[in-house]
Amino acid sequence: AQSVAQPEDQVNVAEGNPLTVKCTYSVSGNPYLFWYVQYPNRGLQFLLKYITGDNLVKGSYGFEAEFNKSQTSFHLKKPSALVSDSALYFCAVRPNSGGSNYKLTFGKGTLLTVNP
Amino acid sequence: GAVVSQHPSWVICKSGTSVKIECRSLDFQATTMFWYRQFPKQSLMLMATSNEGSKATYEQGVEKDKFLINHASLTLSTLTVTSAHPEDSSFYICSASRDGAYNEQFFGPGTRLTVL
C-alpha cells in the first residue's frame, strides 16, 4: 500500500525567510509525486510534480521540490516566503503505473503560516 | 487547459432530501473521475472512482446507495447524496484524469454541502 507522511501539522515562518514543508512517501516501484495547495473553502491547486528526470522540480509561484529517492522524500521549498503563501499544503503520491484508474494518496496536510 | 468545474459551489439542504453535485471537465475528455470528501482541516478521503459508462468503484466504508455516482459522458460525472443527514455535511471535491499526460488528476473547486 502507498502512503504519504507530512510530519508537521503546522509550519510558521517569517515573511522573506526560506520555507520548507516536509513530505516522505512509500510506494511500490517508482513514484509520481505531487504538491497541491488549498486555500480556505477552495479546491486543490496544482503546484508541481515529479515524474522523472531532474530531481529538483520547479513549480508555480516560486516553489520547488527535491526528489530524494534514497530518503524517499519530496520536500517543498521556497527561498523567500510571502504572506500570501499562507495556506494548506498537501503532498500526494501514486505509482508510475496503473493507467487512468490509479489512486492518489494524500498526506494529511501542513498548514503554512507566513507572518508579516 | 485541463479545467474542472463543479456545480454548485455550495448548497444548503434539509435533512432527508437529496442533493446532486456536478463535476465537468471543460476542455478535455476525462477517462476517469474521482470523488473526494474533506472534513475541516483534514486531508482528502477518496470516496469513489468512476469511468465513463461503467459503474463506479467505491472505497471501503463508502455507502454505494447513499452516494450515487453517475459518469454519463467523458466530460460529466455527478454525485448524488441521497436522504442527506447532518453528518453528510462536508466539502466534496472531484477530480478528472485523461489518458496520457501521466494520467494526472485535475481538481475541481469543491462543493460545500450543509445539511440542516
Side-chain angles (χ1 to χ4, degrees), chain A residues 64-84:
Chain A
E64 59 187 31
E66 186 163 12
F67 170 60
N68 187 316
K69 189 172 183 177
S70 63
Q71 297 185 4
T72 61
S73 68
F74 190 57
H75 301 330
L76 181 70
K77 299 182 179 185
K78 186 173 182 179
S80 178
L82 299 172
V83 173
S84 57

Side-chain angles (χ1 to χ4, degrees), chain A residues 32 34 36 38 41-46 49 51-52 88 90 94 98-104 106-109, chain B residues 31-32 34 36 38 41-44 46 49 51 59 91 93 97-99 102-105 107-110 112:
Chain A
Y32 287 168
F34 303 84
Y36 294 91
Q38 185 180 34
N41 295 310
R42 304 290 295 275
L44 271 65
Q45 294 181 30
F46 169 79
K49 66 185 176 188
I51 302 297
T52 187
L88 189 57
F90 290 101
R94 56 150 287 199
S100 61
N101 280 340
Y102 75 89
K103 296 176 186 178
L104 267 181
F106 287 87
K108 63 181 181 180
Chain B
T31 311
T32 307
F34 303 83
Y36 296 86
Q38 185 182 30
K41 298 185 179 180
Q42 293 191 27
S43 190
L44 278 70
L46 180 64
T49 304
N51 291 295
E59 294 300 298
F91 195 52
I93 302 174
S97 70
R98 57 189 176 187
D99 285 339
Y102 306 107
N103 306 122
E104 183 177 336
Q105 287 187 31
F107 287 83
R112 171 73 59 193

Side-chain angles (χ1 to χ4, degrees), chain B residues 71-83:
Chain B
H71 193 158
S73 75
L74 285 172
T75 59
L76 173 64
S77 176
T78 60
L79 167 68
T80 301
V81 183
T82 63
S83 187

Side-chain angles (χ1 to χ4, degrees), chain B residues 15-81:
Chain B
S15 187
T17 60
S18 295
V19 174
K20 181 185 284 187
I21 301 170
E22 292 186 350
C23 176
R24 293 182 184 272
S25 57
L26 298 183
D27 51 3
F28 67 100
Q29 292 187 325
T31 311
T32 307
M33 287 185 168
F34 303 83
W35 286 96
Y36 296 86
R37 184 174 181 176
Q38 185 182 30
F39 291 103
K41 298 185 179 180
Q42 293 191 27
S43 190
L44 278 70
M45 180 192 79
L46 180 64
M47 299 174 66
T49 304
S50 73
N51 291 295
E52 183 261 341
S54 58
K55 290 184 179 181
T57 300
Y58 290 80
E59 294 300 298
Q60 192 172 6
V62 178
E63 298 177 60
K64 301 178 183 181
D65 295 332
K66 178 150 192 75
F67 299 101
L68 300 178
I69 292 172
N70 183 281
H71 193 158
S73 75
L74 285 172
T75 59
L76 173 64
S77 176
T78 60
L79 167 68
T80 301
V81 183

Side-chain angles (χ1 to χ4, degrees), chain A:
Chain A
Q2 57 201 50
S3 65
V4 176
Q6 292 181 242
E8 302 153 318
D9 290 338
Q10 289 191 20
V11 170
N12 296 306
V13 298
E15 188 173 29
N17 282 2
L19 70 86
T20 298
V21 183
K22 296 180 180 178
C23 170
T24 58
Y25 67 91
S26 174
V27 69
S28 297
N30 293 316
Y32 287 168
L33 292 154
F34 303 84
W35 274 102
Y36 294 91
V37 60
Q38 185 180 34
Y39 295 96
N41 295 310
R42 304 290 295 275
L44 271 65
Q45 294 181 30
F46 169 79
L47 277 180
L48 51 80
K49 66 185 176 188
Y50 171 80
I51 302 297
T52 187
D54 272 346
N55 290 340
L56 183 63
V57 178
K58 294 187 182 297
S60 307
Y61 313 118
F63 284 94
E64 59 187 31
E66 186 163 12
F67 170 60
N68 187 316
K69 189 172 183 177
S70 63
Q71 297 185 4
T72 61
S73 68
F74 190 57
H75 301 330
L76 181 70
K77 299 182 179 185
K78 186 173 182 179
S80 178
L82 299 172
V83 173
S84 57
D85 293 330
S86 299
L88 189 57
Y89 289 80
F90 290 101
C91 180
V93 70
R94 56 150 287 199
N96 69 348
S97 60
S100 61
N101 280 340
Y102 75 89
K103 296 176 186 178
L104 267 181
T105 298
F106 287 87
K108 63 181 181 180
T110 298
L111 182 63
L112 172 68
T113 302
V114 181
N115 302 302

